[in-house]
């Protein structure tokens, strides 16, 4: 692309036209000028200029050879690649970062959940309360331990499990509540912990999207009995693959360590000399090179979290008054959110009935990457498949495995609407952009809003 004074031509044209417009509209802040500008501009999907260039969004993951590679190269050249001192260092640093007494790293977030539930003795015959608005692993980790997921509908305003609907789902079989701090936004922990205490239930926090998020000044993942994190490549702390369990309960963490390491004695899990594996086990250990990458990534996590949070707040302020756009709401006790995703609800009635798919297409044409997020987890075929397995048939009475009855008891109509009609997501890397980037998103949405009727005619 031809460069004009260091800017690409398109950017030059954009900046030039903005400057011109601000000169005309002398009142109002530059951000308002931009939004006014967007209203009179033709949407890109109708042949106008895009609000932004997709290629300009911050790349993910971030990797800086100069600062990130020293320890990694030492590990590679040492030949010590299986679990050793660098993994221990990473675990100490992650425990410190979230304020937990202990941390155990494992291969990924999915297995962090599997191991934690296993060592909390969640097993065949138990029910685990879980929200439907989450990643598959939350639910599959319950099933891989032979337990039964029980879905509690979401509060669409916060996208989190609605605590007021939990108690109706508690039965004598209920053993645990799996809280998911979805989108990196903390769930309503005061309400959930009170219910857990009252009914003597365990609380496992799926914090796989919520690195450094806080509720009442306490990091999520450390409020319940165990917290699980993911370091998969898309997550806010990316290592390709990786996961961790955190807890303040020493015997529990010792058992998790032993279980994840072939059942060999560890800490309070004591074996006799000459005896090998002493508890039922698997092997899901982290490696030294993953740990070295994690230590490098952890150095920038705090400042990135602040940037995401500031940008999310600013973007929210810029779009919250557009009719039909309802951004995420945080509970009053949230002192920091991780914003793995920026989400809002799209209400097509305010957009001349332009369906969400048409809205997303128009937004993408403006250079704004976006998605509709999760599909409804509680209706997917894996549940029926699991219930038809030999193991489940041996573990549960027939009535409990009838998929029609199960579906009837696990309806989540508000989540259905969120997944099928309303949710819109921007990914966390977009929130590492500039304030100007956020204004562009707002301006693109504004443009689609003003021209929704014309855009709908393309359908
Ligand atoms: C990513 C994720 C997981 C699983 O983590 P992996 O490291 O990908 O196995 C579990 N729960 C939620 C909410 C997630 O976002």
């Amino acid at each position: 692309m031809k460069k004009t004074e260091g800017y690409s031509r398109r950017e030059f044209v954009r900046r030039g036209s903005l400057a011109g417009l601000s000169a005309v509209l002398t009142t109002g802040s530059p951000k308002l000028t931009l939004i006014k500008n967007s209203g009179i501009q033709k949407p890109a999907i109708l042949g106008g200029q895009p609000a932004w260039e997709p290629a300009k969004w911050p790349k993910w993951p971030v990797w800086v050879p100069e600062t990130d590679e020293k320890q990694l190269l030492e590990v590679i050249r040492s030949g010590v690649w299986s679990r050793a001192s660098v993994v221990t260092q990473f675990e100490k640093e992650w425990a410190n970062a979230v304020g937990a007494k202990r941390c155990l790293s494992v291969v990924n977030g999915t297995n962090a959940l599997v191991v934690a539930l296993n060592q909390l003795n969640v097993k065949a015959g138990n029910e685990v309360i879980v929200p439907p608005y989450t990643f598959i692993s939350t639910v599959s980790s319950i099933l891989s331990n032979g337990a039964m997921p029980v879905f509690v509908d979401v509060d669409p305003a916060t996208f989190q499990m609605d605590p007021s609907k939990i108690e109706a789902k508690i039965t004598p079989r209920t053993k645990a509540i799996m809280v998911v701090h979805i989108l990196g936004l903390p769930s309503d922990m005061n309400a959930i912990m009170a219910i857990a205490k009252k009914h003597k239930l365990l609380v496992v926090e799926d914090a796989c999207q919520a690195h450094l998020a806080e509720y009442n000044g306490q990091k999520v993942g450390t409020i319940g009995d165990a917290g699980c994190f993911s370091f998969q490549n898309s997550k806010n702390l990316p290592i390709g693959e990786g996961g961790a369990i955190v807890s303040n309960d020493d015997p529990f963490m010792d058992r998790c360590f032993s279980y994840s390491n072939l059942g060999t004695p560890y800490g309070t899990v004591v074996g006799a000399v000459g005896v090998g594996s002493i508890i039922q086990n698997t092997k899901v250990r982290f490696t030294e090179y993953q740990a070295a990458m994690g230590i490098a990534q952890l150095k920038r996590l705090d400042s990135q979290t602040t940037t995401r949070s500031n940008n999310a707040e600013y973007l929210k302020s810029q779009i919250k008054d557009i009719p039909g756009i309802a951004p995420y709401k945080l509970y009053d006790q949230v002192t920091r959110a991780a914003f793995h995703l920026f989400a809002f609800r799209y209400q097509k009635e305010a957009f001349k009935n332009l369906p969400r798919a048409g809205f997303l297409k128009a937004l993408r044409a403006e250079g704004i990457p976006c998605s509709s997020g999760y599909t409804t987890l509680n209706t997917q075929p894996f549940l029926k498949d699991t219930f038809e397995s030999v193991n489940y048939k041996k573990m549960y009475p027939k009535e409990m495995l009838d998929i029609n009855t199960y579906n009837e008891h696990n309806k989540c109509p508000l989540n259905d609407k969120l997944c099928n009609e309303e949710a819109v997501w921007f990914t966390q890397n977009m929130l590492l952009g500039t304030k100007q980037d956020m204004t562009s998103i707002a301006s693109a949405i504004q443009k689609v809003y003003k021209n929704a009727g014309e855009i709908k005619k393309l359908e």
Side-chain angles (χ1 to χ4, degrees), residues 24 84 108 358 361 393 432 435:
V24 179
N108 53 38
K361 206 168 155 194
K393 282 185 179 160
L432 294 176
K435 213 168 177 184

Side-chain angles (χ1 to χ4, degrees), residues 82-269:
S82 280
R83 190 189 163 103
S85 65
V86 184
V87 171
T88 306
Q89 184 194 340
F90 174 75
E91 289 173 342
K92 281 201 176 120
E93 290 192 16
W94 187 245
N96 273 342
V98 298
K101 191 170 176 195
R102 296 272 296 271
C103 166
L104 172 72
S105 57
V106 289
V107 289
N108 53 38
T110 306
N111 278 282
L113 293 164
V114 170
V115 171
L117 288 175
N118 190 285
Q119 290 309 313
L120 289 169
N121 209 19
V122 171
K123 58 185 185 305
N126 296 154
E127 290 176 351
V128 179
I129 286 178
V130 69
Y133 200 69
T134 185
F135 187 64
I136 172 81
S137 304
T138 314
V139 178
S140 62
S141 67
I142 297 168
L143 295 170
S144 25
N145 281 296
M148 189 61 86
V150 173
F151 291 96
V152 166
D153 211 350
V154 294
D155 174 354
T158 62
F159 294 77
Q160 311 297 312
M161 176 160 63
D162 185 345
S164 73
K165 295 187 174 153
I166 293 177
E167 282 193 288
K169 294 291 184 96
I170 294 174
T171 76
R173 287 177 179 267
T174 312
K175 175 95 177 233
I177 302 174
M178 177 85 99
V179 185
V180 186
H181 305 290
I182 205 67
L183 313 171
L185 316 181
S187 290
D188 193 3
M189 291 309 285
N190 278 355
I192 292 166
M193 294 307 288
I195 295 165
K197 194 169 171 202
K198 181 173 157 198
H199 297 272
K200 299 194 170 57
L201 303 176
L202 296 164
V203 175
V204 179
E205 293 178 80
D206 179 341
C208 286
Q209 299 188 359
H211 312 73
L212 304 188
E214 285 174 15
Y215 184 91
N216 262 338
Q218 190 176 355
K219 296 280 189 311
V220 304
T222 67
I223 303 168
D225 295 277
C228 297
F229 292 89
S230 166
F231 309 124
Q232 189 271 339
N233 239 35
S234 68
K235 303 297 160 85
N236 293 15
L237 196 154
I239 311 182
E241 298 291 347
I245 305 163
V246 300
S247 174
N248 296 330
D249 180 342
D250 280 319
F252 163 70
M253 290 304 289
D254 290 344
R255 286 198 310 277
C256 287
F257 193 115
S258 178
Y259 178 72
S260 71
N261 188 32
L262 302 169
T264 52
Y266 187 85
T268 49
V269 183

